[in-house]
Amino acid sequence: YTLRDLGGLFPNKSGNGEADFLWFGVTERMTESLCLLYYTLRISDFPKTVPTAHFNSCRPLSWWSEEEKNIARKGAVWDNALWRAGNAILDVRMAKMKAEIRAALRQGITLEDIPYVAPGCFE
């Protein structure tokens, strides 16, 4: 689905047909998320490293009581559901991307001929 299929993110008051855009990446799978983003938008200037500016290291849970852990689990039900959905969507879209690349390779196109497939994005 696209945002247009789902009614759009913002009403397009100008009527010029420009599509809304919304992107999210799965933090634990940021390399794959970026591969898919760059492939989808046909961007060939892939970063040399995965950006880490907004990554936080995990805090140790060893000092949490069982009660605190249970409270956190109950409060994270929707977070976990969203995370699972994001991973499922990423799995499907990565499989589609790889199938498209395999089809191009069968037609004699090389990975070097597809500049928006970054190194390591197709194995």
Side-chain angles (χ1 to χ4, degrees), residues 20 26 29-30 36 41 53 56 58 70 76 80 94 99 121-122:
D20 294 336
V26 177
R29 298 174 65 187
M30 192 53 64
L36 185 59
L41 298 179
N56 295 319
C58 295
N70 287 330
N80 289 331
M94 286 295 294
C121 288
F122 180 77

Side-chain angles (χ1 to χ4, degrees), residues 5-65:
D5 298 330
L6 300 173
L9 183 62
F10 298 108
N12 188 348
K13 296 184 192 288
S14 68
N16 63 8
E18 290 182 13
D20 294 336
F21 181 77
L22 176 69
W23 178 82
F24 69 91
V26 177
T27 302
E28 298 85 356
R29 298 174 65 187
M30 192 53 64
T31 298
E32 288 174 279
S33 297
L34 289 173
C35 285
L36 185 59
L37 175 68
Y38 278 62
Y39 177 82
T40 301
L41 298 179
R42 305 301 197 241
I43 298 170
S44 60
D45 189 21
F46 200 78
K48 302 289 183 228
T49 60
V50 175
T52 58
H54 298 288
F55 283 50
N56 295 319
S57 58
C58 295
R59 298 180 194 141
L61 299 178
S62 57
W63 51 272
W64 285 32
S65 70

Side-chain angles (χ1 to χ4, degrees), residues 38-114:
Y38 278 62
Y39 177 82
T40 301
L41 298 179
R42 305 301 197 241
I43 298 170
S44 60
D45 189 21
F46 200 78
K48 302 289 183 228
T49 60
V50 175
T52 58
H54 298 288
F55 283 50
N56 295 319
S57 58
C58 295
R59 298 180 194 141
L61 299 178
S62 57
W63 51 272
W64 285 32
S65 70
E66 282 304 312
E67 181 182 354
E68 291 168 327
K69 289 179 187 177
N70 287 330
I71 290 170
R73 283 186 198 108
K74 288 178 185 172
V77 171
W78 292 110
D79 288 342
N80 289 331
L82 181 61
W83 181 80
R84 286 191 306 274
N87 272 284
I89 292 167
L90 182 57
D91 287 340
V92 169
R93 292 193 175 164
M94 286 295 294
K96 181 179 181 250
M97 178 190 85
K98 289 179 179 185
E100 290 173 4
I101 295 169
R102 277 193 295 277
L105 295 175
R106 282 193 299 273
Q107 293 176 358
I109 296 171
T110 67
L111 286 177
E112 292 77 26
D113 295 330
I114 312 173

